[in-house]
Amino acid sequence: MSVEYLLKKINLDIPPLGLYDAPEHTDFGETEMPPQGKHSCFFSFYKKWLKGRTLKLSHAKYGCGGCGTWMFGETTRSRQEYIEFLADDEGLKANHELMNEWLDQLSPNKPVHGFLFIGPLRAEHYQYLKTVTFFVTPDQLSVLMIAAQYYQKPGGAEPVQAPFGSGCQQMLTHFNDESGPKAIIGATDMAMRKYLPKDLLAFTVNVPMYEQLGRIGEDSFLNKPFLKDLKKARGGSL
């Protein structure tokens, strides 16, 4: 399944990012792991992703406590310490009660193979693919929003969401137990924004949504007046 046509139409030259749950020794080319015992946000790997490298994460080496908690189900601090850190130190909720309720409604990811790989898309490892992330400008995001709705019937689950959470949660944890097509607008976590260019957000999709995007062709909105007018307003390219 390919989304090359869609990406060409929106002039997206940043390669999509695949997140894989795969066995430890799966060949993803040149890989790198975060240092053990040292805080490291995996979005700091952004420039290396652009060079075609892959980040490898495990229960032992996950970079930061939030990633360890939400991507691997590791206990990195007590429940009360976590509430105090998020609500008091970071001020992300109005009080402890709200933060406690938020923690209750979201379950951590539990990798099947014990390792997560984040890097360029690789067709040979499609069976391990969990999500695909596109780093996009607001104009490109507007087109992907339409693309995510293109095959959706009214009355069902909303296919695009923008949930509260860390950048890594928005790339995987918020997709847990979702079997239908789903997309998340991400990279809205201030803690990781400094690693991305200021005009980019993330648009992450699960495999069913990725396959739907790959089906959108020439007879769609991609060749209709709205997109043509937008490109014209931007000097010919998004």
Side-chain angles (χ1 to χ4, degrees):
M1 188 61 59
S2 172
V3 295
E4 289 183 7
Y5 183 74
L6 171 60
L7 302 189
K8 181 178 179 181
K9 295 298 291 186
I10 65 174
N11 311 113
L12 183 59
D13 55 7
I14 300 174
L17 199 63
L19 193 156
Y20 300 83
D21 182 337
E24 178 180 6
H25 299 297
T26 307
D27 183 8
F28 282 90
E30 192 173 5
T31 62
E32 184 175 323
M33 299 190 77
Q36 189 170 3
K38 182 179 180 181
H39 182 275
S40 175
C41 174
F42 76 57
F43 284 95
S44 65
F45 207 77
Y46 175 76
K47 292 182 179 179
K48 294 182 179 179
W49 285 328
L50 297 183
K51 296 179 180 179
R53 303 185 68 180
T54 296
L55 179 63
K56 180 179 179 180
L57 303 174
S58 71
H59 285 275
K61 295 183 178 182
Y62 42 73
C64 82
C67 182
T69 298
W70 297 111
M71 304 286 264
F72 290 93
E74 291 291 322
T75 301
T76 59
R77 64 181 77 197
S78 73
R79 172 71 170 242
Q80 187 59 33
E81 287 173 337
Y82 202 31
I83 290 172
E84 291 174 355
F85 170 70
L86 294 174
D88 298 339
D89 297 349
E90 299 298 335
L92 300 180
K93 288 288 186 182
N95 52 55
H96 287 195
E97 182 180 1
L98 288 174
M99 186 58 71
N100 192 52
E101 291 177 357
W102 177 74
L103 290 173
D104 280 340
Q105 56 83 46
L106 189 62
S107 299
N109 178 69
K110 295 182 180 179
V112 173
H113 298 97
F115 289 82
L116 298 176
F117 296 83
I118 308 169
L121 288 174
R122 292 179 176 271
E124 68 271 25
H125 298 322
Y126 192 78
Q127 73 212 68
Y128 301 124
L129 184 65
K130 303 297 290 185
T131 66
V132 178
T133 295
F134 308 94
F135 291 107
V136 294
T137 65
D139 284 342
Q140 292 166 335
L141 175 62
S142 73
V143 181
L144 290 178
M145 288 283 291
I146 298 299
Q149 298 277 354
Y150 190 65
Y151 290 108
Q152 300 305 304
K153 295 181 179 180
E158 181 59 43
V160 182
Q161 300 176 12
F164 167 73
S166 64
C168 51
Q169 282 180 300
Q170 294 166 338
M171 284 181 64
L172 182 61
T173 312
H174 283 296
F175 289 94
N176 282 351
D177 302 322
E178 292 283 350
S179 58
K182 181 176 178 179
I184 284 178
I185 299 171
T188 58
D189 172 14
M190 288 187 292
M192 48 70 57
R193 287 292 310 164
K194 62 185 178 182
Y195 299 112
L196 299 183
K198 64 180 182 180
D199 60 342
L200 295 186
L201 286 171
F203 190 80
T204 300
V205 302
N206 61 4
V207 172
M209 180 61 79
Y210 179 70
E211 293 178 346
Q212 281 196 3
L213 297 181
R215 289 163 47 197
I216 300 175
E218 296 180 3
D219 60 347
S220 71
F221 65 95
L222 294 174
N223 287 302
K224 303 298 183 180
F226 282 149
L227 183 53
K228 292 178 181 178
D229 290 347
L230 178 57
K231 286 187 174 182
K232 182 178 179 180
R234 302 299 189 231
S237 177
L238 298 186

